[in-house]
Amino acid sequence: MNYWLFKTEPAECSIDDFARAPDTPIVWEGVRNYQARNFLRDQVAIGDQVFIYHSSCKDIGIAGIAKVVKAAYPDPSQFDRNSIYFDQKSTTEQPRWIAVNLLFVSKLEQLIRLDKLKSLATLIELPLVRKGNRLSVMPVTRAEWQTIIALT
DNA sequence: GCCAACGTTGGC
DNA sequence: GCCAACGTTGGC
């Protein structure tokens, strides 16, 4: 089993949206970065654990945990002309973009703030805290996962 | 709202 | 295949 961190803007999809419907899988769509796409396509597997990270908002940090309940499949939003994620260059034969489904696991009692994560020597390799990082889907090592879990 | 850093595009 | 210009991300 692998560990991941997925970024989301809570105005779009927050941990509270997960918590509100804990039995309903969330379609993780709209990833439009090739490196992140490749992780979704090649490595994210059913049963993997995912930190849900809130970005571009007031309270920035890890807000909760989800798990993967459906592995890579074509992101439906790429074919939807009405979606902001529509991609004219995608075809059903050769889809460019990948979605997975997530299910709520837990909401952290206290959000783990970005500055807290940045302050930990054991997390210096975590892409999230590295300068200029823009990955919206990133791997988390087992050691990093346990470091972060220990903060809760 | 600013802007650094990075990714993507497209001309050559 | 280079690289300038442009677009996006995302913290501050």
Side-chain angles (χ1 to χ4, degrees):
Chain A
M1 185 185 69
N2 287 314
Y3 300 100
W4 303 96
L5 184 146
F6 288 10
K7 290 181 188 172
T8 178
E9 298 187 13
E12 298 298 317
C13 175
S14 79
I15 195 66
D16 291 318
D17 295 321
F18 279 86
R20 204 169 292 126
D23 300 319
T24 306
I26 299 262
V27 177
W28 204 263
E29 62 184 9
V31 172
R32 293 293 180 272
N33 166 283
Y34 287 104
Q35 201 182 345
R37 188 276 314 267
N38 293 347
F39 283 128
L40 291 179
R41 186 188 61 195
D42 304 331
Q43 295 187 47
V44 174
I46 289 178
D48 286 0
Q49 301 271 110
V50 181
F51 282 132
I52 301 299
Y53 173 89
H54 287 176
S55 70
S56 298
C57 59
K58 181 169 164 290
D59 295 309
I60 297 165
I62 294 172
I65 298 170
K67 66 180 176 186
V68 178
V69 291
K70 183 175 179 182
Y73 64 99
D75 180 341
S77 67
Q78 70 195 306
F79 307 121
D80 178 1
R81 287 197 165 273
N82 296 318
S83 170
I84 56 168
Y85 300 122
F86 176 70
D87 187 340
Q88 201 152 22
K89 293 174 181 166
S90 278
T91 64
T92 46
E93 293 75 23
Q94 285 202 314
R96 281 187 160 191
W97 306 113
I98 295 296
V100 300
N101 288 359
L102 300 182
L103 201 61
F104 178 72
V105 172
S106 64
K107 178 180 176 178
L108 301 188
E109 278 185 39
Q110 280 199 321
L111 178 130
I112 303 172
R113 307 193 65 84
L114 177 59
D115 53 9
K116 177 69 179 175
L117 298 169
K118 281 181 172 173
S119 75
L120 298 174
T122 46
L123 296 181
I124 53 169
E125 298 292 327
L126 184 66
L128 183 75
V129 302
R130 299 189 77 95
K131 186 171 183 169
N133 162 71
R134 294 168 60 176
L135 263 186
S136 58
V137 170
M138 71 184 72
V140 175
T141 68
R142 184 175 178 77
E144 288 164 346
W145 182 274
Q146 286 171 346
T147 293
I148 295 166
I149 286 292
L151 300 172
T152 62

